[in-house]
Amino acid sequence: MIEKLIHDSTNLLRDLIRIPSFSKEENQTGDTIARFLQQRGVRTYRKMNNIWAYNKFFDPAKPTILLNSHHDTVKPNTGYTRNPFSPDIEDGKLYGLGSNDAGGCLVSLIATFLHFYPQEGLHYNFCLAATAEEEISGTNGLELVIPDLGPLDFAIVGEPTLMQLAVAERGLMVLDCTAYGTAGHAAREEGDNAIYKALKDIEWFISYRFPKESEEFGPIKMSVTVIHAGSQHNVVPATCEFVVDIRVTDAYRNEEVLDIIRQHVKCEVKPRSVRLKPSSIPKEHPVVQAGLAFGRKTYGSPTTSDQALLDIPSLKLGPGDSARSHMADEFIYLDEIGEGVRLYTAILDKVVNG
């Protein structure tokens, strides 16, 4: 049964690679995924380019596990020497755009879902969600359908981790900051220089250390990355604008970090978004313990994924290597897909049948 699921998953991935599915253009891969599930007797649901389904014996009284990965891709970079939409197999590698990020994870999770789909008496339900716009952190992907999925207990988010357990992921906030002064002539004692005001706040961003630190990541990292001020050499600037990139750890929520910053600086602080949240799952959680029992190791992931949109415990886990994501001539090893299906099913079997 597992071997057939692996075989079918590999063929599905090859079909998906053949179809361009850039972010916001995933309608045809959505069709393909829905058709694949429907041909196996699974009822599917759809909103825009997001496809989801539930196990056959879904019981509203039981908690639900979300299995999620994305079917959009970035555009191929200029270094490609192969056809990015040709799913060629050579030397045990399956080539093609999206093969590693995150096609291998997606089809392995689909296979895992199908493995558990007909089983009765599970301690958990399963919800499979193949979603769009992950590569651009878009609002019409997972975030759009979360309200439709129903209550969820925890999630496995399929991203290439070499099947190691990413138990935490940094969040991201970008702040647009403005220091206000008063314009004046530089030759006279006029004006209130906004650059000098901004420098005091920038120094705070450089030196401040948040009291709580993450076990996986250590301190929150804040970096001033852009600055604009002034119009000409003899005018004291009335405004100074700068941008701060903040990598929020699982020790804080984005809103908490924003409140602390506003308490300490005098400039105006406007976040572009607070929706890309840090995420984590306790190491004591049954799914993490199950992974550890199979020799997997835990770590904190520096990259952002759809985990950032979830307000439930979530584990990032999947076949493939994050270092291959977005590379030219992207590939995944066929053995990695097999390992993904076997480990996903073995880990989850300990949770839902244990």
Side-chain angles (χ1 to χ4, degrees), residues 165 283 287-298 347:
L165 310 170
K283 290 183 180 178
V287 75
V288 179
Q289 289 298 306
L292 292 171
F294 285 101
R296 304 292 95 185
K297 296 180 180 179
T298 62
I347 288 170

Side-chain angles (χ1 to χ4, degrees), residues 24 51 74 77 86-87 122 151 159 165 183 217 234 245 248 259 275 278 305 309:
K24 294 183 178 290
I51 309 296
V74 296
N77 72 49
S86 181
L122 301 175
E159 290 285 335
L165 310 170
F217 300 113
N234 59 352
D245 177 292
V248 184
D259 286 344
R275 53 190 284 272
S305 72
L309 304 172

